[in-house]
Amino acid sequence: MDHLDAEVVVIGSGMGGSTTALALARRGVDVLVVERGERLPREPENWSPRAVFIDRRYKPAETWEDLHGKAFHPGVHYVVGGNTKVYGASLPRFRVSDFEQTRHLEGTSPAWPFSYADLEPYYGQAESTYAVHGTTGEDPTEPWRSTPYPYAALPHEPYVRHLADRLRVAGVHPSSTSIGVDLRDGGSCIRCRTCDGFPCKVGAKSDAETCALDPALATGNARIATGLKVKRLLTDGTGRRVVAAVASTRDGAEVRVTGRRFVLSAGSANSAALLLASADDHHPDGLANSSGQVGRNFMMHNNAHIACIDLDGPNDVVFQKTLAVTDWYEDGGDGHPLGSLQTLGKVQGVMMKSYATAVPLPVLDQVAKRSVEWLVMAEDLPDPDNRVTLSPRGAIRTTRVARGTRQHAILLKRTKRLMRRAGYDVVATQPFDISMNSHMCGTVVAGTDPGTSVLDGHCKAHDLANLWVVDGSFFPSSAAMNPALTIAAQALRVVADSDLAG
Ligand SMILES: Cc1cc2nc3c(=O)[nH]c(=O)nc-3n(C[C@H](O)[C@H](O)[C@H](O)COP(=O)(O)OP(=O)(O)OC[C@H]3O[C@@H](n4cnc5c(N)ncnc54)[C@H](O)[C@@H]3O)c2cc1C
C-alpha cells in the first residue's frame, strides 16, 4: 500500500478545501490536499452548452438515491476545484439576520454558533481572495462591512440596465450582483455567455482552483494528490484522534494518508457519507456522530428558475448575471422572510432542452431570444429527518422533503406579479428537483451543544481532537443567498482562529 503524509491533510479541493489549504499554506503549514477528481481540462467543450448540459461531460457517472430509492444524477463535479469550476461565481455575503434565530412562516431558522460580526473580517478577506466585484448603497438588506469591495460592480449591459429601470418603476430596489470574475483593469474575463454553469476556458472565473488551490501550491507548502478517493477515516486506540485516511486510486490501489490534523471538505453529501462510512468500535454510528446528527439537516434551498418572456422585446444580452432583488429577503410584508432573486447567466435554447425535452429546439431558441432568466431562492429550513445516509450498496441516499415551500410559493407568486408589472408577457417556471442540489448544505452542522450538533463554532468535531469539517456541511441553516463566499470566509476564520494551523 502506498503511503502519503502531511502535517494537515485536507480531503476535497472545492471551496472549503482549497480555501483552507491556501490559508494554511500561507502560514507555513505543510498541507496535502487529497482530491478524488483530476484537473478539468481547458478544451472547446468547456463552452459547449450541449456538451455541458445535455451530455453532462463534467459530471460523474455516479448516481445517488432519492427518498424513494430511485437513482438520480446529482449536481456535483468531482474535479479539482469541485463545484466551483462550474459555479456562477455570484458571491454575496449572508445577511446579519441569517446568523440569528429567525421566525419563518413554517418554522424557525436556528442561530449560528457565531455572529455576522465574527465572520465579517473574513468575508473581506474572502472577497479579496476571490476577486469579488460589487457595490454598496443599492441593496436594501446589505450587511455592514469594514472593507470595501476589492473591485467595482460589473456594469449592466443595456438590456439589464433597462430591466433594472423597469423593476424600479414596478416598485423594488434592484442591486448589482456581487460576482467573482477577472474583470479588473487588464483582467482576463471576456464577458462571455458561457460562465454560469460552465467551466471557464480562459481561467477568468474566481473558482477555488484558480484563486485558492494554485496560489496555495505556489507557496511551496501545499501539495495535491489527485485521483484519490478517500473511503474512510481511521482513529487511534483511544478513538479521539484521526490517524489516517484510507483512499483508493482509480484502478483500485489503496493509499494510506497519515497526518497530525485532518480537514474534511468533500462537500455536504460526501462529507457526511464519509463520516458514516468510518464507523468503528469507538464510533459505532459513524465518526463524530455521538449526537446522531451526522447526515441530518440536509438542505439545498428552495429554488426555481423562471424565464420571463417579453414578446416584443428581444434580449441581446451577453453577460446577464449582474442584477439581484432582495427587497423581500428579511420581510415579505408580514414580518416573515421570503428570499432573493438574481438574474442567471443567459440561458440558451439548447440548455432549456435538458428539461423541456418535448419542446422542439427552434421553439426554445425563439423563447431564449426574448427571455430573461432569474433564480428565485428561498430558505430551506433544517429538518433532522432530511438526511444523507448510505444505501445498502454504499451509495449516497438523500431523504428530503423540502421545508419552507409555502414561503417559496409566495415568493414565486410575488416575483411573477413583479415581472408582469415590469412588462413581461409570460413567466415560465422550472422548480428544482433533488438532482439540482447545487447549493446543498447542512449534514454536519456546527453548534454550541454537542448533543445537537457535530461541530463547534470553528468547525472542529466535538468528538475528536484533530478533525475539522470545512465545507457547506457546517451550515446550521441555508439562508437564501448563494453559499460559496460564506464557506470561504469560514475556512479563513477557522485557520486564523482555531488550533488547526498548529
Ligand atoms: C452549476 C452550479 C452553479 C453554482 N453557482 C453558485 C454561485 O453562483 N454562487 C455560489 O455561492 N455557489 C454556487 N454554487 C454552489 C457552490 O459551487 C458550492 O456551494 C460550493 O462549491 C460548495 O463548496 P464545498 O467545499 O462544500 O464543496 P465542493 O466545492 O463541491 O468541493 C468538494 C470537493 O470534494 C471532492 N471529494 C468529494 N468526495 C471526496 C472523497 N471521498 N475523496 C476525495 N475528494 C472528494 C470533490 O471532488 C470536490 O472537489 C453553484 C454550484 C453549481 C453546481
Side-chain angles (χ1 to χ4, degrees):
M1 189 193 291
D2 276 346
H3 179 212
L4 296 168
D5 181 73
E7 191 176 343
V8 179
V9 176
V10 175
I11 299 163
S13 65
M15 199 65 176
S18 287
T19 313
T20 304
L22 174 63
L24 287 168
R26 283 193 172 147
R27 287 177 166 241
V29 179
D30 166 42
V31 46
L32 171 67
V33 179
V34 180
E35 165 58 52
R36 69 190 284 172
E38 301 290 349
R39 288 195 187 254
L40 194 151
R42 289 204 192 160
E43 55 184 6
E45 288 85 351
N46 290 164
W47 287 347
S48 158
R50 182 169 292 281
V52 175
F53 287 90
I54 309 293
D55 303 339
R56 295 201 284 257
R57 183 173 178 84
Y58 303 113
K59 284 195 175 171
E62 173 179 294
T63 56
W64 296 357
E65 294 177 9
D66 71 7
L67 79 168
H68 306 296
K70 191 166 162 256
F72 69 90
H73 289 280
V76 290
H77 298 78
Y78 295 147
V79 292
V80 173
N83 268 356
T84 69
K85 285 310 288 181
V86 299
Y87 77 165
S90 168
L91 295 171
R93 298 179 175 203
F94 282 6
R95 312 290 117 140
V96 174
S97 59
D98 289 322
F99 297 82
E100 298 164 351
Q101 180 172 305
T102 312
R103 277 295 305 157
H104 285 243
L105 207 54
E106 292 160 84
T108 301
S109 177
W112 288 35
F114 51 90
S115 65
Y116 175 79
D118 294 327
L119 197 59
E120 198 281 334
Y122 304 101
Y123 267 133
Q125 292 175 26
E127 284 168 343
S128 206
T129 303
Y130 286 93
V132 178
H133 293 252
T135 191
T136 54
E138 293 179 352
D139 178 340
T141 64
E142 71 183 325
W144 59 270
R145 54 172 51 244
S146 59
T147 45
Y149 279 103
Y151 302 102
L154 264 58
H156 302 307
E157 288 177 36
Y159 181 91
V160 178
R161 207 165 45 239
H162 181 50
L163 168 61
D165 291 341
R166 288 158 87 170
L167 292 173
R168 245 175 248 118
V169 171
V172 293
H173 302 83
S175 51
S176 300
T177 300
S178 307
I179 199 156
V181 288
D182 188 10
L183 266 171
R184 299 171 282 189
D185 282 349
S188 52
C189 177
I190 57 166
R191 262 191 100 125
C192 68
R193 272 194 165 196
T194 42
C195 184
D196 193 4
F198 296 83
C200 183
K201 199 165 66 164
V202 295
K205 177 151 62 181
S206 297
D207 60 50
E209 179 193 28
T210 308
C211 293
L213 183 81
D214 285 343
L217 300 180
T219 64
N221 297 320
R223 292 164 284 153
I224 182 164
T226 59
L228 266 192
K229 179 182 177 187
V230 174
K231 302 275 190 150
R232 54 183 284 135
L233 300 173
L234 304 179
T235 57
D236 66 1
T238 68
R240 282 285 296 154
R241 297 187 71 81
V242 176
V243 288
V246 179
S248 68
T249 61
R250 228 164 272 287
D251 49 18
E254 260 198 8
V255 177
R256 201 181 174 90
V257 188
T258 52
R260 260 52 72 214
R261 296 176 297 287
F262 288 79
V263 181
L264 185 50
S265 301
S268 278
N270 277 289
S271 284
L274 199 45
L275 291 173
L276 294 173
S278 302
D280 60 20
D281 289 346
H282 290 285
H283 307 274
D285 298 321
L287 201 57
N289 198 20
S290 64
S291 62
Q293 292 298 308
V294 169
R296 295 185 184 274
N297 302 302
F298 174 73
M299 297 168 275
M300 48 176 261
H301 283 149
N302 292 314
N303 268 335
H305 286 159
I306 58 169
C308 307
I309 302 154
D310 181 350
L311 295 172
D312 303 322
N315 182 356
D316 59 355
V317 76
V318 177
F319 197 98
Q320 184 173 269
K321 198 181 174 87
T322 58
L323 198 67
V325 174
T326 63
D327 288 64
W328 308 312
Y329 192 82
E330 290 174 324
D331 185 354
D334 66 350
H336 292 113
L338 283 187
S340 61
L341 320 177
Q342 60 186 249
T343 47
L344 290 163
K346 181 71 192 99
V347 172
Q348 304 174 43
V350 66
M351 291 156 72
M352 297 180 184
K353 195 78 186 153
S354 62
Y355 52 91
T357 45
V359 185
L361 188 54
V363 176
L364 295 176
D365 283 338
Q366 286 308 313
V367 170
K369 279 189 186 140
R370 287 167 179 74
S371 64
V372 56
E373 298 79 17
W374 292 82
L375 181 60
V376 180
M377 195 189 310
E379 185 156 341
D380 180 11
L381 293 171
D383 181 333
D385 292 333
N386 284 345
R387 58 192 298 202
V388 167
T389 52
L390 296 175
S391 78
R393 69 175 171 100
I396 289 175
R397 176 174 285 171
T398 54
T399 305
R400 173 177 182 264
V401 177
R403 302 290 177 218
T405 49
R406 261 172 58 213
Q407 142 181 348
H408 190 232
I410 295 170
L411 179 64
L412 259 177
K413 201 167 159 192
R414 185 88 57 94
T415 305
K416 287 180 184 176
R417 210 184 310 141
L418 173 70
M419 297 303 163
R420 289 207 189 87
R421 272 207 308 274
Y424 288 89
D425 303 292
V426 182
V427 180
T429 308
Q430 182 208 10
F432 279 26
D433 64 21
I434 185 73
S435 70
M436 300 167 86
N437 55 323
S438 52
H439 286 184
M440 65 186 162
C441 61
T443 74
V444 189
V445 301
T448 47
D449 178 0
T452 57
S453 59
V454 185
L455 309 173
D456 68 17
H458 288 90
C459 288
K460 191 174 84 57
H462 292 303
D463 295 351
L464 287 128
N466 66 341
L467 176 67
W468 282 256
V469 183
V470 186
D471 58 18
S473 61
F474 83 81
F475 282 21
S477 64
S478 71
M481 286 278 158
N482 316 61
L485 188 76
T486 299
I487 299 172
Q490 172 69 344
L492 298 174
R493 175 173 174 262
V494 166
V495 174
D497 211 20
S498 76
D499 47 6
L500 172 59

